[in-house]
Amino acid sequence: MNSRLKYLLERWSDDQFTEAERQELIDMLQSASTEQEIIPVLEDMWGKIEDEGLFSEVRQQTMIKNILDRYPGREVPVDRETGKGMHVSHRNPFIRKWSWTVAASVALIMGVGTYYLYHQKQAEVPTGVVQSISNVQQGQSGVLITLSDGSQVLLDTVKNGRITLQGGTVAKVANGIFEYEKTGSEVQYNTISTPKGKQFRLRLSDGTAVWLNAESSVKYPVVFTGKERLISVTGEAYMEVAQNPSIPFRVEVNGGTSVEVLGTSFNVNAYNNEESVRTTLLDGAIRVSMKGAANKLLKPGQQALTTTGDRPVQVFDDVNAASVVAWKNGVFDFNDVPLEEAMRQLARWYDIEVIYPQTIPKVQLGGTIKRSLPFTDVLYFLGNVGLHYKLEGNRTLIILP
């Protein structure tokens, strides 16, 4: 029982479990006979959520209150920080008897949705939103690999298996990760590109792991030769670089930014419609340079901003790295994110166009949203934070004053 529960929770946290597994998990949580096994596992799960630093203590309290407000009934949970009863209650039989941390875990698993974390009620869909809104999901086009000869292969069709590429190169897809089994002797360059609404993972021949965000690409040699390992990136990518001090790893980014890696994990955001290239270091060390500017050596937790022109490389300390790489874990993190930037993220993922016919509203977003949510739920979230909008032509989102 305990091991099965842990397995299902891991499947849930990775957004991988089936509807049947989801129902099995809910049935398991509702079973009073297994309560003593369930509670410690859920408390451990919540502890891991806290350790990730996704929610501050204040936001945790607000989140729990708003989740439990959806279950009106008799009992009142206790705020663990103040020891005082919170003026919320819940009639759900398997939520009412547990601690608020366990109740929160259950509520999230039941599919309450992270857009309820800070807002108690669903917003009504504004007048003017077309009925076909439910059809707006993640983009439908595929992940492509472009070979040296210009030919292309749609990787979405390769679930778990091997494919033979140009020059005798053999690659495979295993557990959602693309990697090379046989590279051959001929120097070739491959490019993997993602459309709007899709992410992809690959492992380079040296063992470096790459996560590509939506509408991004990475160009790399099938096998590294020479005195350095050089790849190029557009859009956004997170990398865990295999250490090899004798052969430095370098990333070229559009706009002239260059990142020299010294065995590390980092994130680079280089979308063309962003004002600057943002390179964030999670572990190890990197050197960021820009044509015409002095390079900067980054420490973990720092972020470098580079722009075109003769501007110097700017370095910012104490960056929330977990927020920066939230996309890699299937989450939009909108805490302290300007409205325009958040809308650009949504546009890339849901393959929509965002238009501001007048002034850009001064709306402050907050909280996190799972990328697996349908766009309908995202619109509820936007309505809850006071944003006015309408959807035209199914994929044009008009932001109103």
Side-chain angles (χ1 to χ4, degrees):
M1 167 65 187
N2 194 286
S3 60
R4 181 61 179 173
L5 177 61
K6 289 182 178 179
Y7 169 78
L8 291 174
L9 287 173
E10 289 175 358
R11 296 274 290 175
W12 171 82
S13 64
D14 292 336
D15 276 334
Q16 292 182 340
F17 70 167
T18 64
E19 182 57 33
E21 288 174 328
R22 177 180 181 275
Q23 189 57 53
E24 179 187 354
L25 179 57
I26 291 176
D27 291 343
M28 193 177 291
L29 294 173
Q30 289 176 314
S31 173
S33 63
T34 59
E35 180 181 338
Q36 295 306 313
E37 290 187 85
I38 288 173
I39 288 178
V41 178
L42 289 177
E43 287 180 337
D44 180 63
M45 168 188 161
W46 186 260
K48 291 179 180 178
I49 291 176
E50 289 183 307
D51 291 342
E52 291 176 359
L54 295 178
F55 314 124
S56 67
E57 189 69 27
V58 173
R59 282 175 174 159
Q60 287 175 29
Q61 299 296 333
T62 304
M63 179 180 70
I64 301 306
K65 180 181 184 299
N66 291 338
I67 287 177
L68 297 182
D69 272 349
R70 291 177 53 77
Y71 299 92
R74 296 188 300 273
E75 299 182 22
V76 178
V78 175
D79 185 318
R80 69 173 184 176
E81 184 174 296
T82 65
K84 298 179 180 179
M86 297 170 63
H87 297 291
V88 295
S89 54
H90 34 89
R91 66 169 175 263
N92 190 291
F94 66 96
I95 285 184
R96 72 178 180 219
K97 64 181 74 176
W98 291 348
S99 69
W100 63 272
T101 55
V102 175
S105 302
V106 174
L108 290 174
I109 291 167
M110 289 177 65
V112 172
T114 53
Y115 55 93
Y116 286 118
L117 300 187
Y118 312 110
H119 309 283
Q120 290 179 246
K121 297 179 180 179
Q122 277 191 347
E124 295 295 328
V125 177
T127 303
V129 175
V130 297
Q131 294 301 312
S132 57
I133 187 174
S134 60
N135 295 325
V136 182
Q137 301 291 337
Q138 290 92 328
Q140 299 301 312
S141 53
V143 178
L144 288 174
I145 180 170
T146 303
L147 308 180
S148 295
D149 62 1
S151 59
Q152 295 182 318
V153 178
L154 185 63
L155 293 178
D156 297 60
T157 60
V158 184
K159 298 300 182 183
N160 283 300
R162 292 173 173 81
I163 52 175
T164 300
L165 303 174
Q166 181 186 5
T169 298
V170 178
K172 68 175 182 178
V173 176
N175 300 318
I177 303 175
F178 177 87
E179 58 185 337
Y180 292 91
E181 277 194 339
K182 179 182 177 183
T183 57
S185 57
E186 183 181 347
V187 177
Q188 304 172 50
Y189 281 84
N190 287 176
T191 301
I192 290 182
S193 56
T194 56
K196 290 183 177 180
K198 291 198 176 182
Q199 297 173 191
F200 196 71
R201 290 182 61 184
L202 65 145
R203 184 173 288 113
L204 304 180
S205 62
D206 67 337
T208 293
V210 181
W211 284 254
L212 276 182
N213 203 348
E215 205 174 13
S216 304
S217 71
V218 55
K219 182 179 180 180
Y220 55 91
V222 173
V223 60
F224 291 104
T225 60
K227 297 181 179 180
E228 68 176 357
R229 294 170 287 168
L230 177 63
I231 69 171
S232 60
V233 169
T234 66
E236 186 167 23
Y238 168 81
M239 301 179 208
E240 293 179 353
V241 178
Q243 295 191 24
N244 187 344
S246 62
I247 307 178
F249 192 97
R250 189 160 63 88
V251 181
E252 288 187 344
V253 184
N254 56 310
T257 299
S258 177
V259 181
E260 183 182 351
V261 184
L262 309 172
T264 187
S265 58
F266 70 102
N267 190 86
V268 57
N269 183 313
Y271 286 108
N272 289 327
N273 60 352
E274 298 293 344
E275 294 181 353
S276 58
V277 174
R278 288 171 292 177
T279 305
T280 308
L281 181 63
L282 282 77
D283 181 64
I286 57 177
R287 183 176 290 108
V288 179
S289 61
M290 183 74 185
K291 292 180 180 178
N295 63 62
K296 298 288 186 179
L297 185 65
L298 266 61
K299 297 182 294 185
Q302 291 185 322
Q303 182 180 85
L305 263 62
T306 52
T307 56
T308 56
D310 297 327
R311 297 179 182 178
V313 178
Q314 294 179 282
V315 177
F316 296 89
D317 298 321
D318 301 322
V319 174
N320 186 343
S323 176
V324 171
V325 299
W327 66 268
K328 180 179 74 71
N329 301 316
V331 174
F332 291 106
D333 189 330
F334 289 145
N335 291 305
D336 301 320
V337 174
L339 176 64
E340 287 182 275
E341 181 181 338
M343 299 311 293
R344 288 194 294 269
Q345 291 184 36
L346 294 176
R348 295 183 197 113
W349 188 243
Y350 291 99
D351 194 8
I352 60 172
E353 180 183 8
V354 180
I355 296 176
Y356 306 89
Q358 299 182 39
T359 58
I360 298 175
K362 294 182 179 179
V363 174
Q364 181 62 50
L365 301 182
T368 60
I369 307 177
K370 284 194 173 184
R371 290 183 170 224
S372 58
L373 289 176
F375 193 60
T376 311
D377 292 348
V378 176
L379 288 180
Y380 286 141
F381 168 83
L382 296 177
N384 275 326
V385 297
L387 196 67
H388 301 286
Y389 57 84
K390 64 179 180 179
L391 189 69
E392 288 188 353
N394 201 28
R395 294 193 178 277
T396 303
L397 184 64
I398 300 175
I399 306 300
L400 304 174

